């Protein structure tokens, strides 16, 4: 098996080498902030290795400035007129470290899943009733773009819970928020209205790989990295991805490798923040990764 994996990695690495050079060079080729999605829905298997290709790789599709409201929230991140990569990357880092993002307050999971159908949702603490949002492929949306989402849940097991700053909000996806309930099960709320959409009463995994079947959801939240299209994603170790449905029924396991210049970089190391310049944003039919080269400075 090791020989097969090495051959598969070599063939993909050769393709990657012809398309790009180093991570540092690739991340600075962009005019503004660079985000990439590695596609679960286009994954392919080669000798036991499951490769998640980068969307439209190597085309520079997601090369954008974030929402203009961030310049007002974090003026210390702005360099010059703000229309440059250093400012864009700095604004992303300030936002992700601020606690203003929907889904950014849990410490129960291995990673925070902040992307909801291409969107990042955040608030200005001065006007928390306004839900600002921008799609991570949309460039420089004006500060007037916002809506009014319910910031307090209205019914079900999380009735009265505040959306922002709540560690029990585990992930966002499908226009919904995913919550850990007091009994150790999950509930799913409509993002726009704050009303219950689906309440699972299941607290243990009924099936799955060794070490998972019969164990509790709580015991594996340290592996949880995202939710999308009714599926829950758990990353064990560097590359072992377990996929379950909303009732914790096992779907599949992938030994996951990322394409392009990240072929030798494990998803686990990115999720855990161990690769300088790379930031895990969340799951959107594959991991969404930001190539942010400017480090956040104190506000």
């Amino acid at each position: 098996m090791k020989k097969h994996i090495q051959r598969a990695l070599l063939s993909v690495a050769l393709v990657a080498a012809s398309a790009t050079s180093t991570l540092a060079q690739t991340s600075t080729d962009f005019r503004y902030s660079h985000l990439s999605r590695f596609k679960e829905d286009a994954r392919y298997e080669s000798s036991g290795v499951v490769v998640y290709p980068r969307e439209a790789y190597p085309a520079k599709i997601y090369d954008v400035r974030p929402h203009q409201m961030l310049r007002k929230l974090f003026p210390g991140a702005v360099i010059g007129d703000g229309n440059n990569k250093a400012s864009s990357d700095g604004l992303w880092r300030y936002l992700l470290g601020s606690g203003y993002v929907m889904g950014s307050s849990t410490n129960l999971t291995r990673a925070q899943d902040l992307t909801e159908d291409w969107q990042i949702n955040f608030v200005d603490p001065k006007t928390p009733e306004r839900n600002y949002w921008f799609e991570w492929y949309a460039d420089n949306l004006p500060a007037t773009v916002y809506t009014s989402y319910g910031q307090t849940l209205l019914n079900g097991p999380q009735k009265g819970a505040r959306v922002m700053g709540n560690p029990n909000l585990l992930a966002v996806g499908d226009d919904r928020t995913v919550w850990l309930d007091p009994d150790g099960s999950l509930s799913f709320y409509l993002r726009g209205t704050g009303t219950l959409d689906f309440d699972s009463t299941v607290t243990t995994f009924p099936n799955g790989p060794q070490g998972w079947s019969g164990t509790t959801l709580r015991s594996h939240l340290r592996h949880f990295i995202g939710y999308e299209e009714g599926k829950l994603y758990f990353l064990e170790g560097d590359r072992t991805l377990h996929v379950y449905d909303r009732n914790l029924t096992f779907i599949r396991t992938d030994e996951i490798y990322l394409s392009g210049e990240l072929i030798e970089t494990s998803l686990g190391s990115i999720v855990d923040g161990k690769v300088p310049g790379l930031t895990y944003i969340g799951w959107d039919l594959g991991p969404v990764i930001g190539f942010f080269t400017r480090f956040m400075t104190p506000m």
Side-chain angles (χ1 to χ4, degrees):
M1 176 61 73
K2 289 183 178 179
K3 290 182 179 179
H4 290 166
I5 292 175
Q6 288 171 352
R7 283 198 295 269
L9 285 176
L10 178 60
S11 63
V12 178
L14 290 175
V15 173
S18 66
T20 188
S21 52
T22 66
L23 173 59
Q25 288 173 321
T26 302
S27 63
T28 56
D29 281 345
F30 293 80
R31 184 176 181 184
Y32 303 118
S33 291
H34 166 205
L35 276 79
S36 284
R37 180 174 75 99
F38 292 80
K39 300 177 64 176
E40 174 191 9
D41 50 341
R43 69 190 186 279
Y44 59 91
E45 183 173 347
S46 176
S47 300
V49 173
V50 180
V51 179
Y52 282 47
R54 183 155 65 177
E55 187 165 33
Y57 179 82
K60 301 173 184 178
I61 295 177
Y62 306 131
D63 181 12
V64 298
R65 292 162 291 182
H67 198 291
Q68 291 180 23
M69 184 62 187
L70 299 185
R71 301 183 197 181
K72 296 182 179 181
L73 287 177
F74 311 114
V78 178
I79 296 175
D81 65 358
N83 294 313
N84 50 64
K85 180 173 175 56
S87 294
S88 293
D89 286 0
L91 290 170
W92 265 104
R93 289 192 176 279
Y94 268 78
L95 177 64
L96 296 178
S98 68
Y100 300 163
V101 184
M102 185 181 293
S104 66
S105 298
T106 187
N107 58 3
L108 302 176
T109 61
R110 181 170 182 175
Q112 296 170 346
D113 178 16
L114 309 179
T115 178
E116 192 284 310
D117 292 342
W118 305 286
Q119 292 182 10
I120 302 294
N121 294 271
F122 68 97
V123 299
D124 174 359
K126 296 179 181 179
T127 55
E129 70 280 0
R130 294 181 179 179
N131 188 99
Y132 293 90
W133 59 271
F134 64 100
E135 294 167 329
W136 37 261
Y137 60 78
D139 182 48
N140 206 31
L141 289 184
T144 54
V145 176
Y146 64 87
T147 186
S148 296
Y149 290 157
Q151 294 294 340
T152 301
L153 302 184
L154 299 181
N155 62 338
Q158 295 289 339
K159 181 179 180 180
R162 293 287 297 167
V163 171
M164 301 304 299
N166 197 318
N168 292 317
L169 200 174
L170 303 181
V172 293
D174 301 345
D175 289 318
R176 290 160 177 79
T177 52
V178 182
W179 295 78
L180 178 67
D181 294 337
D183 65 354
S185 65
L186 296 175
S187 57
F188 301 77
Y189 281 76
L190 297 173
R191 180 189 58 169
T193 62
T195 55
L196 181 68
D197 173 63
F198 176 74
D199 185 16
S200 172
T201 60
V202 179
T203 60
T204 62
F205 297 96
N207 57 357
Q210 184 177 2
W212 288 70
S213 179
T215 60
T216 66
L217 169 67
R218 285 186 186 274
S219 69
H220 289 287
L221 284 179
R222 67 186 186 276
H223 300 123
F224 184 66
I225 64 169
Y227 169 79
E228 189 68 33
E229 294 201 350
K231 299 183 182 67
L232 304 163
Y233 296 86
F234 300 83
L235 184 67
E236 188 173 26
D238 281 339
R239 302 184 185 276
T240 305
L241 183 74
H242 304 301
V243 186
Y244 284 81
D245 70 12
R246 296 198 298 181
N247 279 315
L248 305 186
T249 301
F250 178 70
I251 297 175
R252 71 173 192 275
T253 292
D254 287 344
E255 291 299 322
I256 178 176
Y257 285 76
L258 306 179
S259 72
E261 75 271 33
L262 299 188
I263 190 69
E264 296 182 356
T265 304
S266 72
L267 180 59
S269 62
I270 298 171
V271 163
D272 294 338
K274 295 180 179 179
V275 185
L278 297 183
T279 301
Y280 179 75
I281 304 297
W283 197 272
D284 181 46
L285 278 181
V288 179
I289 296 170
F291 293 67
F292 305 138
T293 56
R294 184 187 177 205
F295 291 98
M296 186 177 72
T297 55
M299 289 185 286

